[in-house]
Amino acid sequence: MIRLYHFPLSPFCRKVRLTLAEKRMEVELVEERYWEQAPEFLRRNPAGKVPVLKIDARLMSESQAICEYLEEANPAPQLMPKDPEARYEVRRICAWFDDKFHEEVTSKLLYERVHKKVMGLGYPDSKNVKFGAGRIKYHIDYMGWLLETRRWLAGDVMTLADFAAAAHLSSLDYISDVDWNRNAAVKDWYAKIKSRPSFRTLLADQIPGFPQPAHYADLDF
């Protein structure tokens, strides 16, 4: 039995969901109000964060560690290259999105616009929203630069790096905070990954109080 404790718009949870789906592993999704820090949840993960993946009696946390475990335990289809330099590049880009992009963009847009309301923490901070809206342009331009010489973000095959990026951008796309017309290569990349069967559950997410924008689940934007 595989169970994932998650929050639908968490990019870290979405990265794990994409990895599980790509590897065709059936999983029970359990939505977790992790910010309430319930004792039962803290027993699963003392860090008080999602995602938490339960496989039989084993509990695992931290999205990158989970994804790499899944890759090693279920190597097909391959989401990490075998070459050490190529593996480094995948991990570097995963860290770029999970650290830098998350700090500069996701936390400033998604958390201000959605998480604060859901968690009852008040209204968005307009300074943070303005900062995130500015910084996402830089990150899209960087992705476009990478895609000038690569079919995918870390090379010529799809990897965990693409899932890390798509997890963050899909969360932001749910609230219409991505300008897909800024870079054609990035838009084409997202259209490719968005059309994969593993993306379907993400496109079906519904957040109470935050209806999907019309383009969100449209494979042709």
Side-chain angles (χ1 to χ4, degrees):
M1 181 185 69
I2 303 177
R3 179 178 294 164
L4 181 68
Y5 298 91
H6 79 120
F7 182 70
L9 285 187
S10 162
F12 304 103
C13 297
R14 285 184 160 219
K15 181 172 65 171
V16 174
R17 290 168 64 189
L18 286 169
T19 301
L20 287 164
E22 192 70 22
K23 293 182 177 295
R24 299 181 181 180
M25 299 175 68
E26 292 188 9
V27 59
E28 177 189 359
L29 297 177
V30 179
E31 189 168 337
E32 183 68 54
R33 296 173 67 87
Y34 63 93
W35 57 91
E36 295 179 352
Q37 301 289 279
E40 185 178 358
F41 179 65
L42 291 175
R43 283 194 291 271
R44 298 188 191 104
N45 182 14
K49 301 190 299 181
V50 288
V52 174
L53 184 68
K54 183 178 182 181
I55 300 181
D56 297 324
R58 173 174 291 180
L59 290 166
M60 289 177 276
S61 60
E62 299 299 335
S63 66
Q64 189 66 21
I66 291 171
C67 289
E68 293 206 31
Y69 169 83
L70 294 171
E71 171 70 9
E72 292 176 8
N74 304 273
Q78 186 176 337
L79 296 177
M80 285 287 287
K82 294 181 178 179
D83 177 72
E85 290 187 8
R87 291 173 74 88
Y88 158 79
E89 182 66 357
V90 171
R91 292 186 174 113
R92 184 189 72 82
I93 293 175
C94 285
W96 176 282
F97 282 94
D98 288 345
D99 293 335
K100 186 176 178 64
F101 187 95
H102 175 260
E103 174 62 26
E104 296 181 357
V105 182
T106 308
S107 68
K108 302 300 188 291
L109 295 176
L110 182 69
Y111 293 4
E112 291 290 341
R113 296 191 194 277
V114 177
H115 287 56
K116 274 190 172 181
K117 181 177 180 180
V118 172
M119 298 176 187
L121 297 176
Y123 297 97
D125 184 323
S126 59
K127 291 182 180 179
N128 283 339
V129 172
K130 183 178 180 180
F131 179 84
R135 289 304 289 169
I136 193 173
K137 298 175 183 178
Y138 164 78
H139 288 275
I140 290 175
D141 291 346
Y142 177 64
M143 292 175 69
W145 178 77
L146 289 175
L147 292 167
E148 286 179 3
T149 57
R150 306 172 177 184
R151 293 182 62 241
W152 298 89
L153 290 179
D156 289 332
V157 295
M158 187 186 70
T159 65
L160 283 176
D162 299 287
F163 283 176
H168 283 270
L169 288 169
S170 64
S171 296
L172 294 168
D173 193 39
Y174 190 96
I175 54 173
S176 300
D177 267 335
V178 184
D179 179 7
W180 295 114
N181 293 319
R182 183 171 180 85
N183 187 287
V186 174
K187 184 177 182 179
D188 289 344
W189 163 86
Y190 189 68
K192 283 192 300 183
I193 201 165
K194 183 181 183 181
S195 65
R196 298 187 69 82
S198 57
F199 225 84
R200 289 173 186 164
T201 62
L202 273 63
L203 298 180
D205 281 341
Q206 297 285 345
I207 310 302
F210 296 90
Q212 284 189 0
H215 72 274
Y216 176 74
D218 183 357
L219 299 183
D220 296 321
F221 289 88

